[in-house]
Amino acid sequence: MRCYVYSVLFGLLLAGSLSGCSYATAMAANTSAQVRNQTVIPVSYQQAKNYFIKNTVTKSVTRHITSAEEFARYFAMAATMGKAGNPTPIDFTTQDVLVFDAGIVQQQLDITPLALNRVQDRLVLNLRIRSGTALGYQMRPFVLLIVPKGLPDQVEFNIQK
């Protein structure tokens, strides 16, 4: 019986200390954000599908595109069969496009947007990039995000592997 009581007390103490650690970590994160005096505001976005970077584009694509003319310099539509085969519509009167261009590679890359935040006068896009198998050809992976107009032009990428 005494052993049972000790094991229950030990379990409660362990649970309490673990929840205290996560609370302390959250408090430390909030405090460090306040120390830097930066307000982080989540930004909504939609991922655009069925576009490709034109073969004539040799340099890196601009990170923040604000007009249809600028977008057309870099991208073309890639319609495919099926219900989801049409390119995602973009209305440049109310929307802009953010671009992450991984450049020309010879291996499979899986790029996943995790979060987009406005941090004072810039946008911070958190991405996860996972490398896959080597390919016998070149490809140019990228991500297009449709965002509301009026956001800062400066875009930073935080890449997690």
Side-chain angles (χ1 to χ4, degrees):
M1 179 71 170
R2 180 185 244 174
C3 191
Y4 176 76
V5 170
Y6 285 126
S7 64
V8 169
L9 286 175
F10 178 76
L12 289 173
L13 285 173
L14 180 63
S17 66
L18 290 177
S19 65
C21 289
S22 63
Y23 177 75
T25 303
M27 289 301 291
N30 288 339
T31 305
S32 65
Q34 291 170 352
V35 168
R36 286 184 255 133
N37 200 20
Q38 294 183 350
T39 304
V40 176
I41 302 169
V43 176
S44 64
Y45 63 86
Q46 175 187 7
Q47 192 166 349
K49 299 285 186 182
N50 295 337
Y51 290 95
F52 66 91
I53 297 176
K54 294 179 177 179
N55 291 338
T56 56
V57 178
T58 56
K59 296 182 181 179
S60 185
V61 177
T62 303
R63 293 178 175 202
H64 192 167
I65 297 176
T66 59
S67 70
E69 295 78 21
E70 185 180 12
F71 186 80
R73 274 188 264 157
Y74 298 107
F75 296 96
M77 295 181 182
T80 59
M81 298 293 286
K83 288 183 179 181
N86 291 329
T88 308
I90 304 169
D91 178 7
F92 281 99
T93 61
T94 60
Q95 298 170 322
D96 288 344
V97 173
L98 300 182
V99 181
F100 175 76
D101 178 7
I104 298 173
V105 298
Q106 285 189 301
Q107 77 181 85
Q108 187 70 32
L109 288 183
D110 179 33
I111 306 170
T112 306
L114 301 174
L116 177 62
N117 295 306
R118 182 178 185 161
V119 182
Q120 296 199 348
D121 61 345
R122 69 189 189 283
L123 296 172
V124 179
L125 176 59
N126 296 320
L127 299 162
R128 180 185 312 122
I129 299 179
R130 298 207 176 175
S131 300
T133 60
L135 302 172
Y137 56 90
Q138 293 180 336
M139 62 183 276
R140 191 163 185 178
F142 63 94
V143 171
L144 294 175
L145 299 181
I146 302 170
V147 297
K149 274 215 179 289
L151 295 173
D153 285 333
Q154 185 181 355
V155 181
E156 294 177 10
F157 300 118
N158 285 336
I159 299 173
Q160 300 174 8
K161 295 192 178 203

